[in-house]
Amino acid sequence: METVSTSRSFEGVQGVYRHASEATGCDMTFAVFVPPQAAKGPVPVLWYLSGLTCTHQNVMDKGEYRRHAAEHGIAIVCPDTSPRGADIPDEKDNWQFGSGAGFYLDATEAPFARNYRMATYIAEELPALVAAQFPVDMTRQGIFGHSMGGHGAITLALKNPGRFKSVSAFAPIAQPSTAGWSRPAFEKYLGADEAAWRAYDSTLLIEDGHRVDELLVDQGTADSFLNDGLRPWLLEEACRKAGIALTLNMREGYDHSYFFISTFMGDHIRWHADRL
């Protein structure tokens, strides 16, 4: 693992790191904030998954999480959203596919199957690296994310029961298998058989019996993607039928941006801290 940069912040350390990933077949960059409490022993870890077009940098620069993480003594890990590089298959003019749009799944279709294995990367490879290199307590993990990352956080929690003690999301893509901005990506990554898509759709995973104890979601009412891409009412209905305790906060006047995320970041970190 290579250290790209480190900076002192709120008495902790914000670092950026790079390593060669076997899962994605390329170098991957990620950010970790280690709070000051880690000087006395391992701390809980909270994974933040970013949305379409983003890298680790977006939340690191605009998410305003460090003060809250330092207050509660939680490490924050911010992975990239996809593999990147000149030899990675991509559609450079399509922000909903390829670089920046890995959808936290393991692709099965050529030529994408070789590199777009973000589910394995987030669930297996990166946690092993973080556990080996940072003072974190892997028995106390939470996960959250924004938009595509909210989708990823919920699906990973549903498919890894017991690993994450808490899961939340900002404006998650509730049902990507039917959303206009994610269906084309699912078909290119996973093929035309929609049965294979169920493994990466929160509402369908719940329908198929996967469970978390509880879920926190914040959604802005002025989000331009609300009615086409996000549709939180589908997640609400799936949770209601399954008996999952969902707290869905519809935030009046807020959009899809990091102004929205940073406003409620403290609420989410506090919610996770109570459970970690």
Side-chain angles (χ1 to χ4, degrees):
M1 186 182 75
E2 172 192 355
T3 299
V4 177
S5 66
T6 58
S7 299
R8 190 169 179 83
S9 181
F10 293 99
E11 306 308 317
V13 176
Q14 175 66 70
V16 177
Y17 308 90
R18 183 183 298 119
H19 73 112
S21 167
E22 182 178 342
T24 65
C26 65
D27 285 350
M28 296 291 289
T29 303
F30 64 100
V32 181
F33 175 71
V34 177
Q37 292 87 340
K40 298 180 180 179
V43 295
V45 58
L46 183 55
W47 300 84
Y48 178 88
L49 306 186
S50 293
L52 287 162
T53 75
C54 293
T55 70
H56 66 283
Q57 193 81 35
N58 299 76
V59 68
M60 194 175 76
D61 290 350
K62 298 183 286 188
E64 301 183 23
Y65 58 81
R66 279 172 290 269
R67 178 170 64 84
H68 305 291
E71 177 184 346
H72 294 287
I74 296 177
I76 309 285
V77 181
C78 307
D80 201 347
T81 53
S82 68
R84 298 174 190 271
D87 59 342
I88 305 296
D90 193 12
E91 294 181 4
K92 298 189 184 302
D93 295 328
N94 183 1
W95 63 276
Q96 297 172 338
F97 186 77
S99 179
F103 280 94
Y104 302 101
L105 52 74
D106 283 350
T108 56
E109 296 294 298
F112 311 109
R114 177 172 174 265
N115 304 108
Y116 289 88
R117 302 181 66 241
M118 290 300 294
T120 294
Y121 178 70
I122 300 295
E124 299 177 18
E125 185 176 21
L126 189 56
L129 179 64
V130 168
Q133 297 288 341
F134 297 91
V136 295
D137 180 357
M138 298 299 280
T139 69
R140 294 186 289 164
Q141 295 185 70
I143 191 167
F144 67 152
H146 170 231
S147 192
M148 179 184 73
H151 136 77
I154 297 171
T155 58
L156 283 164
L158 286 167
K159 291 192 292 185
N160 291 275
R163 174 180 296 189
F164 301 105
K165 295 184 179 298
S166 55
V167 56
S168 73
F170 300 99
I173 305 173
Q175 195 176 83
S177 64
T178 62
W181 66 349
S182 46
R183 276 185 61 85
F186 271 40
E187 185 166 2
K188 291 172 187 175
Y189 286 136
L190 301 171
D193 182 4
E194 296 187 18
W197 304 5
R198 299 183 72 89
Y200 302 105
D201 186 304
S202 299
T203 61
L204 300 182
L205 282 167
I206 293 171
E207 184 179 301
D208 290 344
H210 296 268
R211 297 288 184 267
V212 292
D213 291 336
E214 56 182 337
L215 181 59
L216 170 65
V217 172
D218 274 74
Q219 171 65 61
T221 62
D223 192 321
S224 60
F225 302 114
L226 178 60
N227 292 318
D228 177 45
L230 305 175
R231 303 174 296 166
W233 49 86
L234 299 177
L235 181 62
E236 186 175 35
E237 178 64 10
C239 288
R240 184 191 65 78
K241 289 181 177 179
I244 296 173
L246 168 66
T247 300
L248 174 59
N249 299 313
M250 298 299 297
R251 302 297 189 176
E252 187 65 33
Y254 282 89
D255 58 19
H256 201 68
S257 72
Y258 268 91
F259 296 113
F260 157 63
I261 297 167
S262 62
T263 299
F264 301 105
M265 179 64 78
D267 292 346
H268 280 244
I269 292 178
R270 188 179 311 109
W271 189 85
H272 285 278
D274 288 344
R275 288 149 182 82
L276 296 177

